[in-house]
Amino acid sequence: MIPAHTVQFGAKGCVTWTVDPVRNYRDYKTADADLAFAQWIHGINRGILLPPGLDEQWLISVMHTEEEALRYANVFEEFVDELTA
Amino acid sequence: MATHSTLRNDLAERAKNITRRELQRYAESTKGSQAATARARKVMPMGVPSSFQYYDPHPIVVRSAQAAWMEDVDGNRYVDYDMGFGALFAGHMNPHVRAAIEEQLGHGTLYVTPCESNTEVAELLVQRYGLPMWRFTNSGTEATMDAIRVARGVTGREKIVKVEGGYHGHHDEVMISMKPALDLAGPADAPVGVPATAGITAAVLGDTVVVPYNDADALERALAANDVAAFIVEPVMENIGICLPQPGYLEAVREITRRHGTMLIFDEVKTGITAGWDGATGVLGVQPDLVCLAKSIGGGLPIGAFGGTRECMDEITTGRVLHLGTYNGNPLVMAAARAVPAPCAREVRRDR
């Protein structure tokens, strides 16, 4: 199992690299920063611009088309496939 | 059968291999950004205008942005999911916002005397947040700084409480325990305040008490002496990914702060309209005494705002608390702020 889950609130969301939901800062400190960086550098090389690291979120603006919104999901799937191959 | 730790080790090894390969690819495809950063380093610390904009191995240096896309100096194109740390819910150069800015450019950018759009934007915030009075600033940092000052004015108290791991801008009193090292941070249920930067005085450190998020009992203890002016908190923490409030937490926070005479400040700089038409305040149904906004209300231009109860904002009306700023409510930013809601409303209004 990959130690990760997604969280969404409104137009924002994030991948959190922990198995369990984060309830506070101490939970956040258990997240896997190496997996987060690997995913970020994999994504930016495929045209997915996200804030690096564990802190920030994705934002789907009112100008993202459905294809643009889903592009991140598709590249993320590629990353996970390689990670778990 | 593989053990849990074996699986984790396998993942770590594969992640390391991916990172090694992708760093090489990044170095080759962003040579222009690398050169631009090297040049910038000679005249700006870290080669960036804000330390948040630096990241390893080097940031991409951007030359243009439009809608959901950015292009860097090497010609690489990216779908932007960062969107100005969430400031660009309307998108890069939303046509409504762009038209409003271009129209205003024909009428001036700075009056330092009021314009009618100040009132129009404030009236819209009153409708959206249910707080009767607003003032404008130039950033979220200023909004939280001013809201805290108002809370101190109305309560006559000096201490504030913030959450461990919470970010509320870069003024001294909230640059404490932003991302503290755990060996300095004390016990989880009673964290020690840790300065996030050099330059924080002992007096400021002593006036800021730190509590864990999602722990109403810890807040109760922090407010017990009835000497705290304000509890400032993001209703949904967005400095550590996204950390949701546990059921009942914000309601307990509201009850505890009210009982102890402490002003409750919701920092909605990052949630705001990205959470919904009436922000996290409306979505979660807990009404604070003061709300701080910025980022997404400006459509990509620098803006902040804070609104409060009449009791709080009368501190400014009477002159007991001073709130100042040459660029506050300047007509260019107001034009953008007035234009943002229309293209966003269809996406976020629950009553549509």
Side-chain angles (χ1 to χ4, degrees), chain A residues 1-3 7-14 22-26 28-29 32 34-35 37-38 40-42 44-52 54-64 68-69 71-72 79 82-85, chain B residues 8 11 14-15 18-19 21-22 25-26 55-56 60 67-70 77-83 86 88-92 94-95 164-165 179-180 182 185-188 213-214 236 238-243 246 270 274-275 347:
Chain A
M1 180 174 66
I2 297 176
V7 189
Q8 186 187 348
F9 188 68
K12 290 178 155 187
C14 66
V22 166
R23 297 159 302 167
N24 54 42
Y25 176 66
R26 304 295 170 114
Y28 159 85
K29 287 294 284 182
D32 192 320
D34 293 336
L35 283 177
F37 185 80
W40 174 80
I41 191 83
H42 176 274
I44 199 166
N45 283 336
R46 288 156 184 79
I48 305 299
L49 184 61
L50 285 156
L54 298 164
D55 302 353
E56 292 282 338
Q57 309 81 34
W58 73 67
L59 171 68
I60 305 299
S61 78
V62 300
M63 295 188 80
H64 282 76
E68 288 160 352
R71 186 171 171 147
Y72 174 30
F79 172 73
E82 183 172 355
L83 195 64
T84 56
Chain B
R8 289 295 291 264
L11 285 179
R14 286 176 192 154
I18 292 170
T19 296
R21 181 193 71 213
E22 296 297 329
R25 180 169 167 176
Y26 187 78
Y55 45 88
D56 287 325
I60 59 160
W69 291 85
M70 292 223 283
R77 283 171 54 76
Y78 306 90
V79 180
D80 186 4
Y81 300 91
D82 186 335
M83 299 305 285
L88 288 159
F89 182 55
H92 289 286
N94 183 290
E164 188 178 49
K179 290 275 166 50
L182 292 187
Y213 186 66
N214 272 324
V236 174
E238 293 197 352
N239 189 41
I240 54 172
I242 295 176
C243 182
Q246 299 291 295
K270 295 200 72 180
T274 70
E347 305 292 331

Side-chain angles (χ1 to χ4, degrees), chain B residues 262-277:
Chain B
T262 296
M263 297 297 111
L264 176 58
I265 303 173
F266 275 177
D267 177 350
E268 287 226 46
V269 168
K270 295 200 72 180
T271 47
I273 202 168
T274 70
W277 183 246

